[in-house]
Amino acid sequence: MDSFNLYREAKDQYEKLIPEKDDGLILLSLYSKYKDNDFTEENIISTITKVFKDQGNESSRTEYNRNNTIILRFQESFLWRNATKRTYQFKKYGLELCQNIEKRLIEKYNPAKIKRFFAELHKSLTENIEDNKDLNEWIEDHFEVRLPELTSQIEILDQQVNESVKDFKTEISSDDQDVHNALKGIEIRLEIIKEQASELRNAFQISYDIDDILIGLLENNKGQDNLSNIQRVQNFHDNSRSQLEQVSKRIEKIKPRIREFIYDFNKKNFDRKTNKFIDFLLENSVVVKEAGSKRIQLPDMLSGIIIKSTIHNRKFNVIPNREISPKLPILATKREVDIVKQKELLEKTLKWKRDKERILYWTKLAFQELEAKGTLNFTPFFFRVLKEDQLTIAVKTAHDIIRKNTTYQNKYKVEIKRESVRDTTKKGISLWQMTLQKK
C-alpha cells in the first residue's frame, strides 16, 4: 500500500479546502454572527452582498447565479444544509477553520502566562517522576496540552515584527509629510517587541530545569524507553530559544535601516528647504543702485545678512617620511595551541560540573528531609554543607533551594527570623534562622 502523499491528495481538493479571499471573508462574517447556530439562505445572501460591497465590487446582473454558485461551493466542505428546515449550519471543518483564524487574530502576547505554563510543566514532571509514573502520561496530559500555546506566543512576536516591516516599507514609499514621526513610531514599536522577546526568553528559563530533569532520567537509565519523547521536548526547547533569538536579530537588522532612512530623509528634507529658500530669495530680492554701486535688497521680512569673505592663510604642513614611504612586510603570526590555557579551561569546566553535581546532591537531600519530616531547619543544614564543601557550594545550594521553593510556593512556605546564627568552626560566617515547612 502506497504511503499518503499530501501534495498529490491536496492538489485536486485544494479549492474545496482553502477558500478564496471573498469566500473566506463571507465565511468569517457568517461565523462571527452565527457561530454554531442555524442560519438561512437569506442570511448568507445578505452577507455575500455586504462583503462584495465592502470589497469594492459593484453589483452585477448575475448576482443570483453568483450567490447560488458560492452557496454550492460552501456546501462541499464548510456548510451543512438542512433540507427539512431549509437552514444552514457550519460543518466541523468550517467551524475549526474560522475558530483558528479568530484565535490567531485575538491572541495576545503574554509572557507571564508562558512562565506559569513552564512552572506547571516543571511541577507536574517532578511529581510524575516522584510517583514513578510513565513519562508518556506527562507528555500527553501536560506537554501536549501546553505545546500549541507556547508555540503560538513566539509566532505572535514574529508576526508583530512582520507587521512593523510592512509598515516601514509602506511609509518609505509614502508622500506623507509626517513620515518622520511615523518611522520614529515604528522604531519605538520594534524596541518594545525586542523587550517582549527578552521577557519571553526569561519565561523560558524554567525549560532549562525541565531539560536537567530529563537528562537526569537518561543518566540514571530510567528514560531509555522514552528517549524519543525526551528528545522531542528538548528539541522544542532548543527550537523555541533559537526562534526567539532570530526575532531579536531581525529587529537588530531592521532598526539600523530605519535610522539610516531617517538620517537620509532629514538630509534631503534640509536640502529641499534650502533650495526652497534660495528660490524664494531669487524671486523676491531686487538689485538696488546706491552711489554708483549695486547691492541686493532682500525681502522686507528678512533681516540683513552680513557676508564675510573667507581668507585662506597659508599653512606649512610637515609630512613625516614614514607616512609616505612604502611599508615593510610584516611576518604572519604563527598561531599555536596554548596547552596550559587549554588545561586550565578543562579544569574549570570539570570543576563547574563537580560543583553542579554537589549542589544538586545537597538540594535533593534537603527536599528529601523536608518531605520526610515535614519541616527543615535550613540554618544548621547550611553549616553542614559548609563543613563538607566549599562556601560557594553552600551559597549556591541555598539559592537553588529558595528558587525551587518559589516554583512550588503552593506546596512549601519559608519562615525567616532575622537573628544571626554562627557556627563554632566557621566564626567569620553567620546566617539568619530560616525554616522550610510543608503546607
Side-chain angles (χ1 to χ4, degrees):
M1 182 178 179
D2 295 336
S3 60
F4 179 79
N5 187 305
L6 179 61
Y7 169 76
R8 184 177 64 242
E9 298 296 332
K11 184 170 60 174
D12 298 329
Q13 301 290 327
Y14 186 83
E15 289 79 5
K16 298 178 182 179
L17 298 173
I18 310 297
E20 295 182 358
K21 181 178 180 180
D22 289 338
D23 286 4
L25 291 174
I26 294 167
L27 284 171
L28 291 174
S29 182
L30 289 170
Y31 170 78
S32 178
K33 292 179 182 178
Y34 306 107
K35 304 294 183 185
D36 55 354
N37 299 318
D38 294 345
F39 45 89
T40 65
E41 186 170 308
E42 287 74 17
N43 297 141
I44 300 176
I45 292 173
S46 64
T47 303
I48 293 173
T49 304
K50 182 179 179 181
V51 169
F52 270 85
K53 184 178 180 181
D54 183 62
Q55 291 295 103
N57 297 327
E58 298 180 358
S59 59
S60 64
R61 297 178 181 177
T62 59
E63 278 187 6
Y64 177 80
N65 293 333
R66 179 199 67 187
N67 295 342
N68 285 341
T69 302
I70 292 175
I71 293 173
L72 288 174
R73 282 205 301 267
F74 284 169
Q75 291 180 61
E76 291 180 343
S77 300
F78 307 107
L79 299 181
W80 288 112
R81 181 177 185 273
N82 189 321
T84 305
K85 298 169 60 177
R86 302 182 68 181
T87 58
Y88 294 82
Q89 190 180 42
F90 273 96
K91 291 182 177 180
K92 183 175 183 295
Y93 177 75
L95 198 63
E96 289 178 348
L97 178 66
C98 295
Q99 287 172 343
N100 288 334
I101 295 174
E102 180 184 42
K103 182 180 179 182
R104 182 59 182 265
L105 293 177
I106 67 175
E107 188 70 31
K108 300 299 182 183
Y109 160 81
N110 192 344
K113 182 192 291 185
I114 300 305
K115 190 172 183 178
R116 186 173 72 252
F117 281 178
F118 271 119
E120 292 171 356
L121 284 174
H122 184 272
K123 180 181 178 182
S124 60
L125 177 59
T126 304
E127 293 174 350
N128 178 279
I129 295 173
E130 290 175 351
D131 296 340
N132 292 320
K133 293 182 180 179
D134 187 356
L135 184 64
N136 286 326
E137 292 183 13
W138 178 80
I139 293 290
E140 295 174 1
D141 298 343
H142 298 278
F143 181 74
E144 294 283 2
V145 174
R146 302 301 188 198
L147 184 61
E149 185 73 23
L150 296 171
T151 305
S152 176
Q153 286 290 309
I154 301 175
E155 292 177 354
I156 290 170
L157 270 180
D158 188 59
Q159 183 62 34
Q160 290 179 353
V161 176
N162 291 336
E163 291 173 358
S164 296
V165 173
K166 183 180 178 182
D167 291 343
F168 171 64
K169 291 180 179 179
T170 302
E171 292 297 341
I172 63 177
S173 60
S174 173
D175 295 330
D176 189 359
Q177 295 297 320
D178 200 28
V179 63
H180 183 274
N181 290 332
L183 290 173
K184 281 288 186 182
I186 295 173
E187 187 176 18
I188 293 172
R189 191 194 313 165
L190 285 172
E191 189 63 35
I192 292 173
I193 297 172
K194 185 180 178 182
E195 291 177 3
Q196 292 173 340
S198 177
E199 291 176 4
L200 199 55
R201 270 201 305 274
N202 291 337
F204 267 78
Q205 288 301 311
I206 307 178
S207 66
Y208 289 102
D209 295 335
I210 296 175
D211 287 345
D212 288 342
I213 294 175
L214 296 176
I215 292 173
L217 289 177
L218 293 176
E219 291 177 347
N220 297 328
N221 294 322
K222 294 182 179 179
Q224 298 300 327
D225 296 335
N226 300 293
L227 181 60
S228 60
N229 278 332
I230 292 175
Q231 289 177 337
R232 182 178 169 220
V233 174
Q234 291 178 329
N235 288 338
F236 168 71
H237 291 163
D238 291 340
N239 291 336
S240 298
R241 297 171 196 137
S242 175
Q243 289 164 1
L244 285 171
E245 192 66 29
Q246 289 175 21
V247 171
S248 297
K249 287 182 179 179
R250 286 187 63 197
I251 295 171
E252 288 301 323
K253 289 181 180 178
I254 296 168
K255 288 180 65 179
R257 292 188 60 192
I258 294 178
R259 288 193 289 267
E260 181 182 352
F261 180 83
I262 292 175
Y263 171 80
D264 291 340
F265 177 82
N266 289 335
K267 186 175 182 302
K268 291 177 182 178
N269 195 39
F270 176 78
D271 293 340
R272 283 194 298 269
K273 291 179 179 179
T274 303
N275 292 334
K276 189 176 180 181
F277 178 68
I278 293 174
D279 290 339
F280 174 80
L281 291 179
L282 292 175
E283 292 177 0
N284 295 278
S285 299
V286 294
V287 177
V288 180
K289 290 184 179 181
E290 289 183 354
S293 63
K294 297 179 180 179
R295 68 177 181 83
I296 297 176
Q297 177 66 50
L298 299 176
D300 294 338
M301 70 283 298
L302 296 178
S303 59
I305 300 177
I306 300 174
I307 302 176
K308 293 183 178 180
S309 62
T310 304
I311 300 174
H312 297 282
N313 296 323
R314 293 182 179 88
K315 185 177 180 181
F316 184 71
N317 295 320
V318 178
I319 302 175
N321 185 55
R322 66 176 181 272
E323 294 186 6
I324 59 176
S325 60
K327 303 291 184 182
L328 295 175
I330 300 175
L331 294 176
T333 304
K334 293 182 179 180
R335 299 189 179 275
E336 298 179 354
V337 178
D338 191 338
I339 303 298
V340 176
K341 188 174 182 180
Q342 191 179 52
K343 185 178 179 180
E344 291 177 356
L345 184 61
L346 178 60
E347 290 176 353
K348 287 182 179 179
T349 304
L350 293 174
K351 182 181 181 302
W352 172 84
K353 186 177 180 181
R354 287 193 298 270
D355 289 351
K356 186 176 180 181
E357 290 174 351
R358 293 299 294 170
I359 294 167
L360 183 63
Y361 165 76
W362 287 113
T363 302
K364 185 177 180 181
L365 183 61
F367 278 96
Q368 285 177 349
E369 292 185 10
L370 179 57
E371 288 292 331
K373 300 178 181 179
T375 181
L376 173 68
N377 191 350
F378 179 74
T379 306
F381 183 83
F382 176 85
F383 287 112
R384 176 182 165 190
V385 178
L386 191 60
K387 185 177 180 181
E388 298 187 26
D389 274 304
Q390 299 176 352
L391 176 62
T392 55
I393 302 296
V395 172
K396 289 182 179 180
T397 299
H399 176 268
D400 201 29
I401 290 173
I402 294 297
R403 184 168 63 87
K404 289 184 180 298
N405 175 70
T406 303
T407 304
Y408 304 131
Q409 54 185 339
N410 295 326
K411 190 174 181 181
Y412 307 108
K413 68 176 182 179
V414 179
E415 293 182 357
I416 298 177
K417 294 182 180 179
R418 298 192 176 186
E419 298 177 3
S420 298
V421 177
R422 299 179 183 275
D423 187 70
T424 54
T425 58
K426 304 288 183 179
K427 296 183 179 180
I429 300 174
S430 63
L431 188 71
W432 285 345
Q433 294 186 21
M434 185 172 73
T435 305
L436 282 79
Q437 292 181 343
K438 291 178 65 176
K439 291 186 178 179

